[in-house]
Amino acid sequence: YHNSYGYELWKSDGTATGTALVKDIRSGSSSSSPSYIASFGSLMLFTAYTATIGTELYRTDGTAAGTYLLKDIRTGTSSSSPNITFPAIVSGEFYFKAYHNSYGWELWKTDGTTTGTVLVKDIYVGTSSSSPTEFLVNGTDLYFSAYLSATGREVYKLSSGTVSLVKD
């Protein structure tokens, strides 16, 4: 926290002179409140808030120029609230769940670029949410639980880009 910036993203090498603001995402003294910081290769992914887009997914390489919004998943001022607290990295892609008005809470991925931040699959088709959770990486496969009204919460597998129910 800083009086001029609020709660923003900072970095430190462990010394007073090596501690500095990375970027004032929500400019001025209002806070963007960076949260859920996760390592992804040479990047850090995190969520941050602005009044114009809500809470969305950001990335940083530790520089101001390399710190930016990856994607406004839930467009407008409402938040997609990406949940990256239990990240899953498979074949150079970072998997997480986020909310979108057309899909509900579903499985998303990013390769660390704006164009590479996409919905993987609308598992519970429509606006209902499958709410994927409990990610487990096994080699190049991702296992997770997801919900459908017809089957309840079950184990799913993402393998070679295809999402499938393991067993009802």
Side-chain angles (χ1 to χ4, degrees):
Y1 179 83
H2 188 280
N3 289 340
S4 298
Y5 309 115
Y7 289 100
E8 291 296 342
L9 188 65
W10 289 71
K11 66 180 177 180
S12 179
D13 64 4
T15 67
T17 57
T19 301
L21 177 71
V22 175
K23 187 170 186 174
D24 189 9
I25 294 168
R26 188 172 180 200
S27 61
S29 61
S30 294
S31 300
S32 71
S33 301
S35 302
Y36 306 113
I37 299 170
S39 178
F40 180 50
S42 63
L43 303 175
M44 298 297 284
L45 302 181
F46 62 98
T47 62
Y49 172 84
T50 68
T52 56
I53 64 167
T55 301
E56 295 293 345
L57 185 64
Y58 286 76
R59 60 152 270 172
T60 187
D61 63 3
T63 68
T67 303
Y68 55 85
L69 172 71
L70 273 178
K71 187 166 203 151
D72 185 5
I73 294 170
R74 186 176 182 189
T75 57
T77 58
S78 295
S79 301
S80 72
S81 301
N83 186 330
I84 62 172
T85 52
F86 302 105
I89 300 171
V90 178
S91 302
E93 295 180 312
F94 185 101
Y95 290 84
F96 60 98
K97 81 173 182 180
Y99 185 86
H100 186 281
N101 286 349
S102 298
Y103 312 118
W105 287 97
E106 293 295 344
L107 183 65
W108 288 73
K109 70 178 181 178
T110 186
D111 62 4
T113 67
T114 299
T115 57
T117 304
V118 296
L119 174 71
V120 175
K121 182 174 182 176
D122 186 10
I123 298 165
Y124 196 149
V125 178
T127 58
S128 295
S129 299
S130 72
S131 297
T133 189
E134 303 172 62
F135 298 147
L136 175 71
V137 176
N138 183 13
T140 58
D141 296 333
L142 172 63
Y143 291 87
F144 59 95
S145 73
Y147 175 82
L148 289 176
S149 62
T151 59
R153 185 158 289 280
E154 299 292 349
V155 176
Y156 284 76
K157 177 181 178 181
L158 171 72
S159 184
S160 302
T162 301
V163 174
S164 59
L165 173 66
V166 172
K167 183 170 178 154
D168 182 3

